Amino acid sequence: MKKLAAAAVLACALLAPAAASAHPLGNFTINHFARVEVAGHRLYVRYVLDLAEIPTYQARQHGVDPSVYAHRIARDLHVSLAGRPVPLRPVAHRLAFPPGVAGLHTMRLEVILAGPAVTARERLDVRDDNDPGRIGWRELVVGASTPSSSDELRAYPKSLLQSPLDQRSLTATVAPTGDPPPALSSGRSLEARDRVADSGFTRLIGRRHLSALVVLASLAAALFWGAAHALSPGHGKTIVTAFLVGRRGTPRDAAILGGIVTVTHTIGVFALGLVTLALSQFVVPDHLYPWLDLAAGVSVVAVGAAVLRSRLRDWRHERAHRHGRQHGHHHHHGHDHDHLPEPGSGLRGLLAVGVSGGILPCPSALVVLLAAISLHRLAFGLVLIVAFSLGLALSITAVGLAAVLARSAFAHRSFDGLVLRLLPAVSAAVIVAAGVAMTLRALPALT
Amino acid sequence: MKRRLIVGLAAAALVAAAAALGGALRSGGASAAADALPAGVAAELQQGFAAGDTEAEVAGLQGELRLYPRDVKALDTLGLAYLQRVRETGDASYYPKADGILHRALALAPHDLIATAGLGQLALARHRFRLALSLGERARSLSPTTAGVYGVIGDADVELGRYRAAFAAFDEMARLKPSVASYARVSYARELTGRPAPAERAMALAASAAVGEPEALAWTHVQLGLLELSVGRYRAAELQMRIALHAFPGYPFALDGMAQAQAALGRLRRALAYERDAVARVPLPQYVGLLGDLEHVTGNEALARRQYALIGVIERLLAVNGVRNDLDIALFDADHGRDLAHAVQLARLGREERPSITGDDVLGWTLARAGECRAALPWSQRALRLGTKDALKLFHRGYVAACLGRRVEARSYYRRALALNPRFSILWAPVARKGARP
Amino acid sequence: MRRTALAACLALAAAVAAVAAVAVRGNGPSTAAASSHREAPLISQDPTADNTDLYAFVSPDKPSTATIIANWIPGEDPAAGPNYYTFSPTARYDIYVDRNGDGKPDITYRFQFKNLPSQFFLGNTQQTYTVTKTVGNTTTTVGSGLETPPDNIGPRSTPNYAALAAKGIHTLSDGSTVFAGQRDDPFFGDVGAIFDLVAIREGTGATGGGRDFLAGYAVHSIALQIPKSQLDNGGNHTIGVWAATDRRQVTVANGKAAGRWVQVSRLGDPLINEVLIPTSEKDHWNASSPADDKQFEKYYSNSILATVLEKLYPQFGPFKETGRDDLVQVLGTGLKSPMLNYTGPTFADELRLNLSIPPTPADKVNRLGVLGGDLAGYPNGRRLEDDVVDISERVVGGALIGHSLPLGDGVDANDVPNLQAFPYVAAPFSGFDNTKGQPFPTHP
């Protein structure tokens, strides 16, 4: 059981997404990419425009007509072949609005421009005069297969040792090729991989006007998100299920469990939030990071080790029991049994399981708490988190209830088996290994 | 076994706690210094040889660091260069880069003066004034003879309303090293204490000490222009903004300053053009706000509404990114009569973070606009306690008086504001004019 | 139950630590903060007050005089229009001479400049200046209303620049000759590769092939040619020279009176501030006088630079890293044995020139100065031809303590030849055609 709790810890920690962040290049950048290529005997340009949240908002205020944009791009992108300027004509475009932060969107426009015929090896000059005064990434490449350092504005390099590219002109030679004409991206590749949008839950805290109706709607949404969240890995659903089934629990037990999970989760979020804030006030946070990483790794190793030890002990104990049954009954009282608690352990058992199920505050809830504090909406944040925790609890309870009902339906089936016996020890070992990995990763940063 | 486990965990916890509280338990050490020198010295020499060309400096340092990633001096210089790039271009994606680079330097050399002071500068830019103050104090303890640390301390003290400490810091800074940095700060202190002519003299010295550094030079001329505006000398203000744009073409701060000068001269169309240019480069809330007001005053209501909506968006983004801008939001809302109860709340919280005369003024103003005139009065009075010759603050004070029914007092303040700067605000100068009539 | 509670606590601790590690690492704002609070510049280099180089030598064409040349404004780009460089009218430029080796100035020349009235945008770079001379307690004005030539902007704005520049040479009332104005930067060095092992272009750089980082750039120079009779002390014939810049202090409270002068930059021996003085002491060093330099002696005797050389050239090691009395001597008191330019036991950063050593004829000048057997060169004073980068590297490497190595940066001379007569520093490139940062040709 503890191993599952620890596994849930691990899963949540390792899967924690980054806190809500802006467009990687800043919320008001307009980023440009142009790929000049020759397909067969024709020159094409594949142009990508990536607008961050603010310019997207401004653009949408005016209404976005992609063909107008395409024509403007064609006009302000100056291309010369063998010294003669050549006109470009937009032939295709695609527009998407990938989500950004604070409930806003970014904009991605891809345009294919067709140019003149290319019959021989010729000199090419490109100059991009689109949005000259605007900050943003500007990249020019020539050739259909030349790699782009930003993957065509989908993933900007995050190096601290790199300034945003500012390529505004380029000279190269081009010749006819056997390549097919360029195509627009679609589906997933139209998305921006490195943009971290808010989750639906974290978007709730940022609503501008909080009328009573908005608050109620937000609470309902929070409930929904909590319930949905519980269905993702972790949160001790397995624990709860196994527990309720193992102890022949009743629907009332399931309900109590739900309540305990709600309370525990809320407390966990606040504890974590306060720790985070307190630490960041007194110390320059970067002094902490390597130590926190180390502490996390060491803790996980410790938990895993404890669980592994108890599992192995139980394994030996169980084997001793089995032998004992064959050779006579050596029963040691006063021996802490680490298996599923005996039926009738009562409230304490429920408490233990509920706590370990809800103890793990999940990052979106933490983000909401921190955002609530910075937006000075602590009360609203609190209420949202309680609703979220309640939703979480309801999901878990529902799963537990299902298990209870299933159990009575399949009363003769038992959950004992070799798989179940082995699983705890193996997963405990996995936890230890993961903890060791975390610790090792933290060490270089300390030296 | 359980005991061993507890002991092990307690040890881990103690280590973490010690690190959290102690921070710099390691000393820099000679090895760090030796690693620092090769590229770092070259970096310093290069810095000396390429004054005014930050972009080239940045590129050079990035190259150096790819070869010598642990060079603390180069990291320091690059961090400061990134901060300078934000000043020049408004591109705030350099802030996290500067943050990362300076933290890397600090991780390698926890007692490094430049990294500590640089992080103080960054904290100021992000409006974390208490953090900036503590970093500045730490930098001072590392080197009490370096003028720059007093700049960080003084700037933080000003925003925290601790004016005596701030002025002492600026005096010390100017005593240790007269330079554009110390001259500009002494000028600001003089301006705060209501002496615009001595403030101009100090800022003129700052301009003369900024020759050879285009952005700093442009900045000082914009400040001179704003000083001229504040005392009603609009043509002189326009000239200063022109000089600034000549020194650093496209400087958004100067474009906005020029827009203000043109608006004061009554040339609203030109003001609009300049402000649109400023907003196109760097959409700071105050630029967008002024643009919206200009659109409103020239009758383009739809465009004005768009700008106001945009400010909401920008402020949400700032909040999400952890920048504390409550006072700006509160001021905007109060000026435009939006969500006044919420504005008061924000102003209170904003003032907690920034208990300067700015915080006092915004709180008083939002309270007055929300009709809580009795509560507004002490704050508005506090805002004027240094004797600053600021027409807008005087106007706010007059408004509070009018709100309390004290007509004569109100008229007196309105008149003082208008005498100082007849066009102190597109939105409110007309109100002052009306209220100043007998 | 206890174990369950314990495990739950462990799980919580792990959760707190693990998730805190992720959460505390915030991304930080990457949106410009509203600059509704003023952000004055914090770090400024103050180029127009920044000493770049100091030279002192017996004039080769007039051996009865000594020439002192002090340069300011690093990296002055001749094509800097529309922002041209001039001496700062609010600064004071000083040249100090110490005749008795106590670290205090015995003769001081001070220069203050005024811009000529003109429309700002026409960029009139000409200035007038006043020179005062202080000997002991007496100060006299030895020149006033003197003109600098304009900056070399281009063939249309400043045609026939040599003639214009010649008009900038004046005689002071004490018999000295003076020039102040824009010149080509005579410093030469591959700054980018000096200490960069990977980029040193040819072995240890002693065979050329380096890039003169400052080729094509300009400086503003003040050159003084002073009769030796006014300088010589009749004893060891050695003087110490340094240059400095002052700016006026201001205070918040006192808005009217001009504040006292505060020294913001100084220069005696080359490369001291850049290489030996730690960052935390630079402001203090810049404001200090050589008479107080004992406090900085420790940075000379335990030269971190030697440690760097040890890392860069282990094959040529070992390099002596501590107790470097030779560096203390050559840079702080002058060389006593062999007797070259010793001024006395006071440790002070001055450029020490022995006036009794005759100048070397032009065809025998060795860029390595004393290390190359040419006693009229650095560290005995400093001539324009002296390769102080190579000399300094070799001296730090141990050339004076029997550990001589052909270290260098591969740049052996300035891109432009020096003039044969006062002011010796070549005319600057015009903004119109300049060749910044050109490669230096290789030689065997």
Side-chain angles (χ1 to χ4, degrees):
Chain A
M1 206 119 37
K2 281 138 289 265
K3 73 174 183 318
L4 290 167
V9 171
L10 200 62
C12 224
L14 295 180
L15 295 175
S21 67
H23 184 294
L25 290 191
N27 298 120
F28 55 89
T29 53
I30 297 181
N31 307 286
H32 306 254
F33 171 86
R35 181 188 292 281
V36 182
E37 52 186 276
V38 178
H41 287 273
R42 187 155 293 281
L43 184 87
Y44 288 97
V45 177
R46 190 179 138 73
Y47 200 96
V48 182
L49 196 66
D50 168 25
L51 266 57
E53 286 87 343
I54 292 177
T56 305
Y57 183 84
Q58 288 174 305
R60 288 176 112 177
Q61 279 180 325
H62 290 98
V64 180
D65 182 351
S67 58
V68 168
Y69 275 80
H71 279 94
R72 180 172 61 82
I73 290 169
R75 191 194 64 210
D76 288 337
L77 182 67
H78 298 112
V79 175
S80 316
L81 265 183
R84 335 172 299 273
V86 294
L88 296 169
R89 188 174 42 93
V91 293
H93 57 74
R94 190 160 291 167
L95 184 62
F97 291 97
V101 291
L104 298 163
H105 290 266
T106 64
M107 185 171 116
R108 184 181 174 86
L109 174 69
E110 294 191 8
V111 180
I112 309 282
L113 302 164
V118 177
T119 46
R121 216 180 156 70
E122 287 182 302
R123 196 181 102 187
L124 170 79
D125 294 287
V126 186
R127 199 181 73 241
D128 189 359
D129 288 326
N130 279 288
D131 301 310
R134 198 55 179 254
I135 298 162
W137 181 279
R138 287 170 196 278
E139 193 178 349
L140 292 172
V141 306
V142 173
S145 45
T146 317
S148 154
S149 46
S150 65
D151 191 15
E152 301 194 349
L153 306 188
R154 287 189 199 90
Y156 297 96
K158 286 191 176 47
S159 166
L160 295 174
L161 292 182
Q162 202 166 340
S163 304
L165 273 187
D166 191 17
Q167 295 167 329
R168 295 179 191 236
S169 64
L170 188 60
T171 299
T173 22
V174 289
T177 66
D179 295 328
L184 296 165
S185 311
S186 59
R188 295 241 63 194
S189 62
L190 208 54
E191 296 292 307
R193 277 204 314 272
D194 66 346
R195 224 68 33 93
V196 179
D198 304 325
S199 68
F201 180 40
T202 52
R203 234 177 286 166
L204 292 174
I205 190 73
R207 287 269 174 82
R208 189 166 167 85
H209 289 285
L210 296 182
S211 63
L213 198 60
V214 170
V215 169
L216 282 174
S218 303
L219 289 181
L223 202 74
F224 161 70
W225 286 113
H229 194 85
L231 298 176
S232 59
H235 298 291
K237 286 188 299 301
T238 328
I239 308 173
V240 163
T241 311
F243 173 70
L244 286 172
V245 166
R247 76 182 249 146
R248 291 191 288 275
T250 62
R252 203 197 76 163
D253 289 338
I256 296 175
L257 211 49
I260 295 170
V261 168
T262 308
V263 170
T264 316
H265 186 260
T266 310
I267 292 174
V269 171
F270 281 101
L272 187 52
L274 291 172
V275 164
T276 305
L277 283 176
L279 289 178
S280 70
Q281 286 281 4
F282 293 115
V283 187
V284 175
D286 263 13
H287 282 175
L288 290 179
Y289 301 163
W291 293 101
L292 283 175
D293 284 341
L294 183 67
V298 165
S299 308
V300 175
V301 170
V303 170
V307 170
L308 187 60
R309 246 185 242 113
S310 72
R311 276 292 126 206
L312 289 176
R313 212 171 1 98
D314 287 348
W315 179 277
R316 268 182 267 125
H317 185 79
E318 220 182 327
R319 273 169 70 230
H321 267 290
R322 272 190 247 120
H323 284 301
R325 271 187 233 114
Q326 291 164 0
H327 302 290
H329 216 58
H330 301 290
H331 212 71
H332 304 273
H333 291 281
H335 194 120
D336 274 337
H337 280 202
D338 233 9
H339 346 258
L340 301 174
E342 297 301 321
S345 317
L347 198 56
R348 274 153 135 218
L350 276 176
L351 200 61
V353 173
V355 160
S356 54
I359 201 76
L360 195 58
C362 266
S364 341
L366 181 68
V367 167
V368 167
L369 176 64
L370 296 177
I373 292 172
S374 79
L375 289 172
H376 309 296
R377 286 176 169 181
L378 203 52
F380 182 47
L382 218 150
V383 156
L384 275 181
I385 289 168
V386 170
F388 182 87
S389 307
L390 188 61
L392 191 81
L394 285 174
S395 256
I396 296 179
T397 313
V399 167
L401 265 178
V404 166
L405 296 172
R407 190 187 193 283
S408 36
F410 298 95
H412 53 282
R413 293 265 181 105
S414 113
F415 280 97
D416 299 323
L418 183 64
V419 170
L420 197 66
R421 280 210 308 276
L422 272 178
L423 198 56
V426 168
S427 54
V430 165
I431 295 169
V432 172
V436 167
M438 281 168 77
T439 311
L440 288 178
R441 229 180 336 140
L443 286 177
L446 294 170
T447 54
Chain B
M1 193 176 338
K2 226 190 309 181
R3 209 171 299 136
R4 255 181 272 151
L5 201 59
I6 295 173
V7 168
L9 270 176
L14 270 173
V15 164
L21 298 170
L25 294 175
R26 301 176 297 258
S27 63
S31 60
D35 272 321
L37 264 175
V41 176
E44 278 216 20
L45 289 165
Q46 276 175 6
Q47 193 186 14
F49 291 126
D53 189 354
T54 321
E55 222 176 325
E57 201 187 326
V58 164
L61 286 164
Q62 288 170 336
E64 297 275 359
L65 283 164
R66 279 188 267 270
L67 296 171
Y68 293 98
R70 299 167 64 88
D71 185 328
V72 174
K73 267 194 182 176
L75 287 168
D76 285 344
T77 316
L78 183 58
L80 294 181
Y82 280 156
L83 290 176
Q84 180 62 21
R85 284 304 280 158
V86 181
R87 295 181 62 88
E88 292 172 356
T89 62
D91 183 354
S93 70
Y94 283 109
Y95 278 145
K97 286 199 213 287
D99 198 353
I101 288 285
L102 289 171
H103 273 116
R104 210 185 270 186
L106 215 53
L108 291 167
H111 296 294
D112 187 72
L113 173 66
I114 303 278
T116 311
L119 285 170
Q121 211 180 335
L122 185 58
L124 284 169
R126 288 167 162 177
H127 293 190
R128 310 252 172 99
F129 302 117
R130 287 188 178 83
L131 176 62
L133 185 59
S134 80
L135 285 165
E137 296 284 1
R138 197 189 303 182
R140 180 187 18 205
S141 69
L142 292 171
S143 172
T145 54
T146 299
V149 308
Y150 297 94
V152 177
I153 293 173
D155 286 353
D157 276 330
V158 162
E159 301 301 331
L160 293 170
R162 302 161 33 138
Y163 292 103
R164 197 169 317 167
F167 298 165
F170 293 156
D171 274 344
E172 184 65 10
M173 194 185 185
R175 186 187 75 83
L176 289 172
K177 185 168 175 181
S179 66
V180 57
S182 47
Y183 285 142
R185 286 170 170 79
V186 167
S187 167
Y188 187 34
R190 291 176 179 178
E191 188 187 340
L192 285 172
T193 48
R195 297 135 63 215
E200 272 197 53
R201 278 197 283 276
M203 193 55 80
L205 279 174
S208 130
V211 170
E213 295 177 300
E215 187 269 328
L217 184 59
W219 187 91
T220 51
H221 283 286
V222 174
Q223 291 303 139
L224 279 166
L226 293 174
L227 271 167
E228 302 280 20
L229 274 178
S230 77
V231 292
R233 292 206 291 266
Y234 304 140
R235 276 193 199 289
E238 188 195 3
L239 177 61
Q240 290 299 330
M241 301 304 178
R242 203 175 291 287
I243 296 174
L245 285 169
H246 185 77
F248 199 75
Y251 191 35
F253 190 34
L255 290 168
D256 172 64
M258 180 61 104
Q260 292 184 47
Q262 296 296 336
L265 286 166
R267 305 186 198 138
L268 292 177
R269 222 147 287 285
R270 266 190 243 190
L272 263 173
Y274 278 108
E275 197 65 58
R276 282 201 188 114
D277 197 352
V279 169
R281 288 167 195 271
V282 180
L284 290 179
Q286 62 264 40
Y287 299 170
V288 177
L290 182 56
L291 181 58
D293 290 343
L294 283 168
E295 303 277 19
H296 167 74
V297 151
T298 50
N300 303 334
E301 281 309 320
L303 289 173
R305 264 199 303 277
R306 279 211 193 126
Q307 302 310 329
Y308 297 153
L310 181 60
I311 293 188
V313 163
I314 297 172
E315 284 161 353
R316 257 154 79 192
L317 287 167
L318 287 172
V320 158
N321 279 306
V323 178
R324 308 197 180 156
N325 60 345
D326 297 331
L327 284 181
D328 304 309
I329 304 178
L331 180 62
F332 180 80
D333 285 350
D335 276 341
H336 299 91
R338 289 151 56 121
D339 207 357
L340 292 169
H342 182 60
V344 168
Q345 222 188 338
L346 282 180
R348 278 195 209 284
L349 291 160
R351 200 204 152 271
E352 291 283 311
E353 310 234 331
R354 199 193 248 179
S356 61
I357 56 175
T358 311
D360 297 334
D361 179 52
V362 172
L363 181 52
W365 176 236
T366 46
L367 283 167
R369 291 281 284 162
E372 299 179 50
C373 311
R374 204 147 288 284
L377 183 60
W379 294 114
S380 191
Q381 285 171 324
R382 269 183 70 81
L384 287 167
R385 72 182 188 276
L386 294 176
T388 320
K389 294 216 165 85
D390 182 338
L392 193 58
K393 290 192 174 67
L394 289 167
F395 166 75
H396 289 165
R397 179 69 185 80
Y399 190 96
V400 171
C403 182
L404 288 168
R406 304 181 194 170
R407 312 247 99 211
V408 174
E409 193 180 277
R411 201 178 310 142
S412 149
Y413 276 107
Y414 289 158
R415 286 205 177 135
R416 276 171 68 184
L418 291 165
L420 198 54
N421 181 2
R423 306 248 196 170
F424 63 87
S425 160
I426 312 183
L427 294 179
W428 301 110
V431 174
R433 272 196 290 276
K434 213 183 298 177
R437 284 202 287 257
Chain C
M1 180 51 210
R2 276 213 320 270
R3 190 169 296 174
T4 319
L6 175 68
C9 288
L10 291 182
L12 176 59
V16 168
V19 185
V22 173
V24 166
R25 182 181 292 120
N27 258 339
S30 65
T31 312
S35 295
S36 52
H37 94 276
R38 288 162 65 114
E39 287 178 42
L42 190 62
I43 314 287
S44 73
Q45 290 156 222
D46 203 354
T48 54
D50 193 356
N51 289 94
T52 62
D53 285 290
L54 178 68
Y55 304 87
F57 48 90
V58 176
S59 318
D61 56 333
K62 265 202 201 146
S64 62
T65 63
T67 300
I68 301 174
I69 301 173
N71 291 344
W72 281 267
I73 313 185
E76 186 181 323
D77 184 347
N83 299 303
Y84 294 101
Y85 297 89
T86 58
F87 288 105
S88 178
T90 55
R92 188 174 71 175
Y93 298 84
D94 316 307
I95 291 178
Y96 294 106
V97 178
D98 173 17
R99 295 171 74 200
N100 55 8
D102 62 351
K104 299 198 185 115
D106 300 304
I107 305 175
T108 305
Y109 285 89
R110 292 203 206 276
F111 296 73
Q112 281 183 268
F113 295 82
K114 265 212 271 266
N115 288 341
L116 288 180
S118 74
Q119 266 287 312
F120 175 84
F121 304 110
L122 291 180
N124 185 347
T125 52
Q126 231 181 337
Q127 294 176 296
T128 57
Y129 60 101
T130 306
V131 188
T132 62
K133 179 177 178 180
T134 306
V135 181
N137 289 327
T138 325
T139 304
T140 39
T141 304
V142 290
S144 75
L146 306 173
E147 278 190 355
T148 71
D151 287 359
N152 190 356
I153 296 179
R156 294 242 188 86
S157 326
T158 51
N160 196 3
Y161 193 73
L164 281 175
K167 287 208 265 187
I169 300 176
H170 308 282
T171 309
L172 298 174
S173 65
D174 69 345
S176 315
T177 316
V178 71
F179 171 91
Q182 193 192 46
R183 294 277 93 190
D184 178 68
D185 190 343
F187 184 82
F188 52 94
D190 192 338
V191 174
I194 286 179
F195 300 113
D196 184 345
L197 178 60
V198 176
I200 288 214
R201 304 171 208 275
E202 290 278 344
T204 57
T207 50
R211 266 183 88 210
D212 182 0
F213 209 85
L214 291 132
Y217 282 94
V219 286
H220 266 61
S221 291
I222 293 179
L224 272 172
Q225 191 164 72
I226 309 168
K228 276 205 267 194
S229 53
Q230 290 183 24
L231 301 169
D232 201 319
N233 59 19
N236 60 16
H237 309 291
T238 305
I239 54 171
V241 180
W242 70 100
T245 330
D246 315 312
R247 281 199 182 280
R248 287 217 188 262
Q249 183 185 357
V250 290
T251 55
V252 174
N254 192 342
K256 287 212 171 68
R260 60 176 251 272
W261 289 106
V262 173
Q263 185 177 291
V264 297
S265 171
R266 69 154 156 144
L267 180 57
D269 287 315
L271 302 172
I272 300 296
N273 193 5
E274 289 87 344
V275 173
L276 292 185
I277 305 298
T279 315
S280 55
E281 298 278 334
K282 280 196 207 296
D283 280 359
H284 178 52
W285 188 88
N286 269 317
S288 305
S289 293
D292 303 320
D293 274 348
K294 190 91 183 135
Q295 58 186 319
F296 302 110
E297 192 182 330
K298 56 180 183 271
Y299 301 118
Y300 293 64
S301 69
N302 300 321
S303 171
I304 297 181
L305 207 50
T307 316
V308 174
L309 286 173
E310 179 71 48
K311 283 182 103 75
L312 285 178
Y313 303 118
Q315 68 270 38
F316 295 120
F319 294 87
K320 189 162 192 267
E321 299 177 30
T322 56
R324 293 296 301 267
D325 287 328
D326 61 318
L327 292 177
V328 169
Q329 247 201 58
V330 70
L331 296 170
T333 61
L335 279 174
K336 200 173 180 193
S337 51
M339 184 54 129
L340 183 67
N341 57 355
Y342 185 68
T343 53
T346 309
F347 181 88
D349 174 31
E350 298 174 352
L351 189 60
R352 292 177 169 78
L353 176 66
N354 188 332
L355 296 166
S356 67
I357 295 179
T360 310
D363 53 336
K364 300 226 176 49
V365 164
N366 188 318
R367 70 183 175 93
L368 292 173
V370 169
L371 290 187
D374 182 352
L375 294 181
Y378 183 71
N380 176 23
R382 181 183 169 192
R383 299 171 300 195
L384 296 167
E385 303 86 0
D386 291 332
D387 190 342
V388 296
V389 175
D390 286 11
I391 297 171
S392 298
E393 281 194 39
R394 292 176 194 212
V395 167
V396 172
L400 296 172
I401 47 176
H403 189 227
S404 189
L405 291 164
L407 299 172
D409 64 338
V411 179
D412 297 345
N414 196 27
D415 55 320
V416 165
N418 302 314
L419 301 175
Q420 298 305 310
F422 188 83
Y424 306 104
V425 194
F429 283 94
S430 78
F432 186 70
D433 57 353
N434 68 93
T435 53
K436 296 194 286 291
Q438 290 303 298
F440 190 84
T442 356
H443 62 79

